[in-house]
């Protein structure tokens, strides 16, 4: 493995998930693998789980870790080729990426969608430019369109919790929010679920369709109650409109998930990537129930990051 941006960078998803579950049982088994090497974590946006779980995963493998909060602690970056830098930007991304590559053996970068320029976001401008100029393996810590480490952790969680001898029904339900939210988690979850053996349904109000490049053959159901029928897992997430890019559209029905709505499910397990707006996206009674998997998902973020780092280290070791 030379980079990790999406599910397309994994040859065998089932084997990858099973190996991550084994790592979880003995996380320090390869604590010497990263000895003498450095992981750089570059954040252009806020983070809690991604930052700490990836640092913990790195430590489990013996890696040194450098964290750079680029929007607060670094010079302001320029992303346009040929730019005359006589304004607010101080350092070009081509210089920053190459310098960081001298200090680090692997780099992770987190760069959200701006939700202002659809073409710029969907082309993954920031991640692509950083990868173009970096000279070491790159890991996405969430990009404009995808959040692969979260989705891998979600797959691990579902594998651990899925019913025996039954194809699970997994529902991704849109939820309300107070501001425009990027599509990365929804896109990524859809992309990964489409590669697993599950019945996958996405439910949202009309106008909130995700990019069909990622939803592909998933069932789209505009009636939340119908979608939730007999669900084994319900994943709650907000996103803004993709068609009317970045906008919050008016909705007529109440989409916040409650225990009452969950009565039609198969005693469904509840998932959310966190952070969550309690009693806006989903009620306290749901999040604090014994069926909620939100903390298991957060815990599995460490082992998702660890198997990715391990595979990259092993690839370079054998190169």
């Amino acid at each position: 493995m030379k980079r990790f941006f999406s599910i397309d960078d994994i040859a065998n998803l089932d084997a990858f998930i099973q190996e991550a579950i084994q790592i979880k049982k003995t996380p320090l088994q390869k604590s010497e693998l990263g000895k003498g090497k450095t992981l750089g974590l570059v954040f252009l946006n806020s983070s809690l789980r991604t930052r700490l779980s990836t640092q913990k995963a790195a430590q489990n493998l013996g890696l040194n870790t450098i964290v750079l909060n680029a929007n607060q602690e670094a010079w302001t970056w320029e992303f346009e080729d040929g730019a005359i830098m006589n304004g607010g930007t101080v350092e070009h991304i081509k210089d920053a990426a190459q310098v960081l590559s001298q200090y680090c053996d692997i780099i992770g970068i987190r760069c959200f969608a701006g939700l202002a320029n659809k073409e710029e976001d969907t082309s993954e401008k920031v991640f692509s430019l950083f990868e173009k100029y970096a000279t070491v393996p790159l890991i996405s810590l969430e990009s404009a369109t995808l959040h692969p480490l979260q989705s891998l952790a979600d797959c691990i969680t579902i594998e651990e919790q899925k019913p025996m001898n039954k194809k699970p029904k997994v529902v991704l339900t849109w939820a309300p929010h107070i501001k425009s939210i990027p599509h990365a988690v929804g896109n990524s979850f859809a992309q990964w679920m489409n590669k697993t053996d599950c019945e996958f349904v996405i439910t949202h109000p009309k106008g909130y369709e995700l990019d069909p490049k990622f939803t592909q053959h998933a069932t789209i159901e505009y009636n939340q109650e119908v979608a939730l029928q007999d669900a084994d897992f319900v994943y709650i997430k907000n996103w803004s409109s993709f068609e009317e890019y970045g906008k919050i559209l008016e909705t007529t029905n109440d989409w916040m998930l409650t225990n009452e709505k969950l009565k039609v499910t198969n005693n469904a397990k509840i998932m959310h990537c966190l952070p969550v707006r309690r009693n806006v996206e989903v009620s306290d009674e749901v999040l604090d129930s014994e069926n909620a998997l939100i903390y298991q998902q957060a815990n599995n973020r460490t082992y998702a990051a660890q198997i990715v780092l391990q595979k990259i280290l092993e690839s370079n070791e054998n190169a």
Side-chain angles (χ1 to χ4, degrees):
M1 180 179 281
K2 301 298 183 184
R3 49 103 79 164
F4 184 68
F5 176 74
S6 76
I7 195 170
D8 295 332
D9 295 309
I10 295 175
N12 185 324
L13 177 58
D14 289 339
F16 212 75
I17 292 169
Q18 292 302 326
E19 193 168 346
I21 291 172
Q22 291 305 310
I23 287 172
K24 185 176 181 178
K25 295 175 182 177
T26 55
L28 301 179
Q29 188 174 16
K30 298 197 174 185
S31 59
E32 296 292 311
L33 184 62
K35 187 176 181 180
K37 296 185 182 298
T38 299
L39 170 68
L41 300 176
V42 179
F43 292 90
L44 279 74
N45 303 97
S46 301
S47 177
L48 188 157
R49 278 148 295 276
T50 300
R51 180 191 308 258
L52 298 184
S53 63
T54 309
Q55 282 186 272
K56 183 177 179 181
Q59 290 168 1
N60 287 347
L61 292 167
L63 281 159
N64 298 314
T65 308
I66 297 173
V67 178
L68 176 66
N69 298 308
N71 275 357
Q72 292 86 37
E73 300 168 352
W75 302 112
T76 308
W77 287 353
E78 174 62 57
F79 297 99
E80 297 298 329
D81 280 337
I84 299 171
M85 292 172 54
N86 59 358
T89 57
V90 180
E91 183 160 27
H92 202 283
I93 192 170
K94 70 171 64 176
D95 302 320
Q98 291 185 70
V99 168
L100 283 165
S101 297
Q102 294 179 323
Y103 303 150
C104 306
D105 300 280
I106 305 170
I107 298 174
I109 183 168
R110 185 175 179 93
C111 47
F112 289 175
L115 293 180
N117 186 319
K118 185 176 185 178
E119 182 179 356
E120 197 168 280
D121 287 344
T122 56
S123 69
E124 291 287 0
K125 180 178 179 179
V126 175
F127 187 92
S128 296
L129 281 171
F130 202 93
E131 187 171 42
K132 176 182 178 180
Y133 295 117
T135 58
V136 297
L138 202 62
I139 296 172
S140 171
L141 306 176
E142 187 173 352
S143 69
T145 65
L146 295 171
H147 196 351
L149 286 175
Q150 180 65 54
S151 296
L152 176 54
D154 296 335
C155 286
I156 295 167
T157 306
I158 290 172
E159 178 64 23
E160 291 177 321
Q161 300 286 334
K162 71 181 183 182
M164 298 294 292
N165 304 318
K166 177 184 181 293
K167 178 188 287 190
K169 180 179 179 181
V170 181
V171 177
L172 171 63
T173 180
W174 181 90
H177 207 283
I178 64 169
K179 64 178 184 178
S180 292
I181 298 295
H183 309 96
V185 172
N187 285 342
S188 197
F189 188 70
Q191 185 187 51
W192 288 64
M193 285 298 102
N194 283 330
K195 294 290 182 73
T196 65
D197 183 26
C198 74
E199 179 188 350
F200 182 49
V201 179
I202 304 173
T203 185
H204 54 71
K206 290 185 177 179
Y208 278 100
E209 292 79 9
L210 291 164
D211 187 340
K213 178 172 70 174
F214 301 114
T215 58
Q216 294 186 352
H217 56 269
T219 299
I220 309 298
E221 173 56 65
Y222 297 112
N223 185 314
Q224 189 185 42
E225 183 178 357
V226 172
L228 292 173
Q229 189 76 42
D230 298 324
D232 297 296
F233 296 90
V234 178
Y235 199 113
I236 306 141
K237 189 70 182 84
N238 173 266
W239 56 86
S240 55
S241 175
F242 180 71
E243 186 63 32
E244 296 187 51
Y245 194 65
K247 292 184 178 180
I248 298 177
L249 309 179
E250 288 188 17
T251 57
T252 53
N253 297 327
D254 178 14
W255 281 77
M256 186 181 81
L257 198 70
T258 62
N259 276 345
E260 182 65 28
K261 291 184 177 183
L262 290 169
K263 287 180 178 179
V264 300
T265 71
N266 184 28
N267 195 30
K269 302 292 187 181
I270 306 304
M271 304 179 71
H272 192 290
C273 63
L274 301 180
V276 59
R277 296 268 182 170
R278 284 173 172 259
N279 303 309
V280 175
E281 297 176 72
V282 54
S283 65
D284 277 338
E285 63 181 2
V286 173
L287 289 171
D288 295 332
S289 73
E290 63 181 13
N291 279 17
L293 300 178
I294 56 176
Y295 303 130
Q296 290 92 322
Q297 288 172 266
N299 184 41
N300 282 334
R301 290 296 308 275
T302 296
Y303 310 106
Q306 189 165 337
I307 188 172
V308 169
L309 290 169
Q310 179 177 312
K311 293 298 184 183
I312 290 174
L313 288 168
E314 288 173 345
S315 293
N316 288 347
E317 197 175 57
N318 297 327

